[in-house]
Amino acid sequence: MLDQSKSPVGDAAQLDFLNALFDKGILVDTGVDGLYGRSGEFEDVLNRFDALVTKHGAADKAEAMRFPPAMSRKTFETSGYLKSFPQLAGTVHSFCGNDHDHTTLLERVATGEDWTKDQQATNVVLTPAACYPLYPVIAKRGPLPVEGRLFDLQSYCFRHEPSQDPARMQLFRMREYVRAGTQEQVLAFRESWLERGQKLMRSLGVPLEIDIANDPFFGRAGRMMKAGQREQGLKFELLIPITSTEKPTACLSFNYHQDHFGQTWGIETADGAVAHTACVGFGLERVTLALFKHHGLDLAKWPKAVTQELWG
Ligand code: AMP
Ligand code: ZN
C-alpha cells in the first residue's frame, strides 16, 4: 500500500525549524506531515493573537459565528471548490456495510490490504477555508441590508498538502472576517484590513511585506485563473519570513471574490443587485510560528513589548 503519511516536501531550513519545535515540545509529532499536536504555550499565544484580532476589528461590530471543521458536502459541491482545488480537498468516508463486510474490513486491516476502498462518502467534507460554510447562510437570510453584512469566523481547516514545512499544515485554524455588500463596501473593507493587518503585525515586532498573490488553482485551466487573479489584484497577502527570507510565508490574506459567491449562492444587495464579497484570513498557526521564530522558542524571553501587546 502506498504510504501517504510521509512526504519529502520541505527544505533543510524548514526541517530544522520543525525539529526544533518538536524538541521543545511546542509542536508534537504524530507521524504524519502537517498533522501536529500543540503545546499549552503554543495554544496560549495563538489564542491571545486571536483575541488581538478581535480587538483590532471590534469597532466594526461583526456578527460572530463558529462552524465545526467539517461542512455539508452539498454546500461544498455547489461552492465550486472542486473546480479550483481538487488536490486540496478532504472528504469524510465511513463504513456503511453489514457483518460480512465488517469481517472483510478487519481481514484487510490485519493483512495490510487497502481497507478504505469500500468506505462510503458521507454527507460531510472537511472545511477548506473558514468562510465556505457561511455563504449559503447569508443567502438564506434574503437580500442584504443597505449597509451589507460583516461576519467574524474561526475554524480548523483541512488542506491535503502534506509537507515538512511547519508552516504548511494539513489541519490549521483560520480566523476570518467576511464582508458582503456592494463592490464599494467590500473593497473599502479589504482596504481597511490591509492597513489594520499591517499595524497589528508591526505591533508584534515581526518583519513583514505585502504582496499581490494568487491561489494554487489546479491544472491547465488553473494557470489562466492564477494569471487573471493577479492581473485584477484580487488577492493580497501579508508575508512574514519564517523559514526563508527569500520566500516569506503568507500569514494573512485579503481576498476580493467579486460577485463569484454572490452569483453562486444568489446573495442580493438591498437594491436587488448581485452582492460582492471579500474576506480577510488570519492563519493562526502561521502567525504563532512567526512569533516563535522571531522572538525565540522560549516564551519567557520574548520582548516585553510583544508580551504586553498579547497579554495586555
Ligand atoms: P488562503 O485561503 O489560502 O488565502 O489561506 C488563508 C490563510 O490561511 C493564509 O493566509 C495562511 O495564513 C493560512 N494557511 C493557508 N494554508 C495553510 C496551511 N497549509 N497551513 C497553515 N496555514 C495555512
Ligand atoms: Zn475566506
Side-chain angles (χ1 to χ4, degrees):
M1 192 167 58
L2 190 67
D3 181 5
Q4 296 189 326
S5 64
K6 284 275 172 199
S7 61
V9 187
D11 62 25
Q14 293 169 348
L15 207 50
D16 282 352
F17 189 41
L18 181 63
N19 284 326
L21 291 160
F22 285 162
D23 287 347
K24 283 271 181 191
I26 295 171
L27 291 184
V28 182
D29 193 3
T30 68
V32 178
D33 291 336
L35 184 73
Y36 310 117
R38 283 98 167 127
S39 71
E41 275 190 356
F42 184 97
E43 287 298 286
D44 205 11
V45 173
L46 184 145
N47 286 320
R48 295 313 304 170
F49 175 71
D50 194 29
L52 196 58
V53 172
T54 305
K55 193 170 138 193
H56 281 247
D60 297 348
K61 300 197 172 11
E63 178 180 344
M65 218 179 261
R66 294 291 180 267
F67 292 94
M71 60 181 283
S72 145
R73 172 151 66 101
K74 187 108 198 44
T75 301
F76 177 79
E77 286 161 2
T78 308
S79 75
Y81 193 82
L82 290 170
K83 267 191 224 154
S84 302
F85 313 110
Q87 79 282 20
L88 299 177
T91 53
V92 178
H93 284 63
S94 281
F95 172 76
C96 301
N98 56 24
D99 278 338
H100 177 260
D101 301 322
H102 184 205
T103 308
T104 310
L105 172 81
L106 293 179
E107 275 167 13
R108 286 181 184 153
V109 173
T111 57
E113 244 184 285
D114 182 7
W115 60 270
T116 62
K117 59 189 178 199
D118 289 335
Q119 298 283 101
Q120 304 283 317
T122 66
N123 281 331
V124 299
V125 299
L126 298 175
T127 305
C131 61
Y132 272 77
L134 177 69
Y135 301 107
V137 175
I138 305 179
K140 232 176 162 174
R141 288 192 183 168
L144 298 172
V146 177
E147 68 279 13
R149 290 194 193 278
L150 176 67
F151 294 90
D152 158 346
L153 306 174
Q154 200 237 84
S155 179
Y156 253 105
C157 297
F158 173 85
R159 294 185 184 177
H160 186 234
E161 47 184 358
S163 164
Q164 289 171 341
D165 176 358
R168 186 171 297 282
M169 298 185 175
Q170 297 201 65
L171 274 155
F172 57 93
R173 275 157 289 181
M174 203 187 285
R175 174 75 188 274
E176 284 201 45
Y177 284 109
V178 184
R179 184 85 167 97
T182 62
Q183 181 178 36
E184 294 71 34
Q185 286 170 335
V186 310
L187 283 174
F189 157 83
R190 188 174 70 155
E191 206 52 46
S192 79
W193 269 111
L194 268 162
E195 286 306 314
R196 279 191 269 188
Q198 291 178 74
K199 196 169 157 216
L200 165 58
M201 296 316 298
R202 283 212 179 90
S203 78
L204 294 174
V206 289
L208 60 91
E209 62 185 275
I210 297 283
D211 204 1
I212 197 155
N214 63 264
D215 287 309
F217 294 109
F218 184 77
R220 207 177 323 140
R223 276 202 288 279
M224 304 273 293
M225 291 164 83
K226 283 180 198 167
Q229 194 180 29
R230 292 183 86 91
E231 256 162 45
Q232 297 175 72
L234 301 181
K235 187 178 188 81
F236 289 90
E237 288 174 337
L238 185 152
L239 308 165
I240 305 174
I242 298 183
T243 54
S244 158
T245 35
E246 294 85 56
K247 276 191 164 180
T249 302
C251 291
L252 276 59
S253 30
F254 310 86
N255 305 296
Y256 171 40
H257 316 122
Q258 300 170 294
D259 63 0
H260 170 74
F261 289 116
Q263 290 275 8
T264 303
W265 292 106
I267 306 169
E268 283 182 15
T269 62
D271 54 14
V274 180
H276 286 232
T277 59
C279 65
V280 49
F282 303 81
L284 297 181
E285 276 77 5
R286 283 192 179 173
V287 169
T288 305
L289 289 173
L291 291 170
F292 277 109
K293 182 70 191 186
H294 289 281
H295 303 314
L297 299 186
D298 191 349
L299 191 52
K301 293 189 181 147
W302 281 19
K304 256 241 137 49
V306 174
T307 49
Q308 186 73 28
E309 196 64 27
L310 286 168
W311 278 272

